[in-house]
Amino acid sequence: MTIWFQSLLFVGSLLFSILVIYMVKWGRLSIRYSFLWLTLGGSMLLLSIWPDLAKMLRALVQIEVVSNLIFVMLFCFVLLVLLILCAALTDCTDRLKRLTQVNALLEERIRQLEERDSSK
């Protein structure tokens, strides 16, 4: 890896991590999800500083080419993001269902009270 490309990766991963931090600060990203993205940014920083780390990981898991290792790691990251987002969507769906049910009960109660007041 050339020093120019390594510097480019370092700056890109640093900007990515800073962007995640600012998105949390501005309220555009939940702290709950920021850990995952900061982990990705930190991993990119580590690999840009020490590219031999990728070669050691490749040898450890016995993958032929470093780019295949990176591809597998990114694929696993995407699957993890999908799993977390599906869990969050399920939670929101359950909360929306409960909110709708409570709203329907309150509307029924208001209707009963209005009928009772109008009959007097």
Side-chain angles (χ1 to χ4, degrees), residues 12-111:
S13 57
L14 191 63
L15 288 174
F16 177 80
S17 298
I18 291 170
L19 176 66
V20 170
I21 291 169
Y22 274 103
M23 286 180 75
V24 170
K25 181 180 176 184
W26 295 326
R28 303 304 251 165
L29 181 65
S30 170
I31 294 174
R32 194 165 104 181
Y33 303 118
S34 66
F35 178 72
L36 184 66
W37 294 108
L38 286 174
T39 302
L40 177 67
S43 300
M44 291 182 344
L45 273 171
L46 280 176
L47 289 175
S48 67
I49 294 171
W50 294 292
D52 292 335
L53 184 63
K55 293 177 184 173
M56 291 178 358
L57 283 172
R58 177 197 57 84
L60 183 68
V61 292
Q62 299 177 352
I63 294 179
E64 292 291 324
V65 184
V66 174
S67 60
N68 290 347
L69 172 73
I70 302 298
F71 178 74
V72 168
M73 289 171 60
L74 288 175
F75 182 74
C76 291
F77 177 78
V78 167
L79 285 178
L80 182 62
V81 168
L82 284 173
L83 178 65
I84 289 172
L85 291 177
C86 285
L89 180 63
T90 301
D91 181 50
C92 287
T93 303
D94 290 342
R95 290 172 56 191
L96 181 61
K97 180 181 173 184
R98 281 192 305 253
L99 182 63
T100 304
Q101 290 170 345
V102 168
N103 188 35
L105 291 172
L106 289 173
E107 284 178 359
E108 178 63 26
R109 179 75 175 138
I110 289 172
R111 197 171 307 124

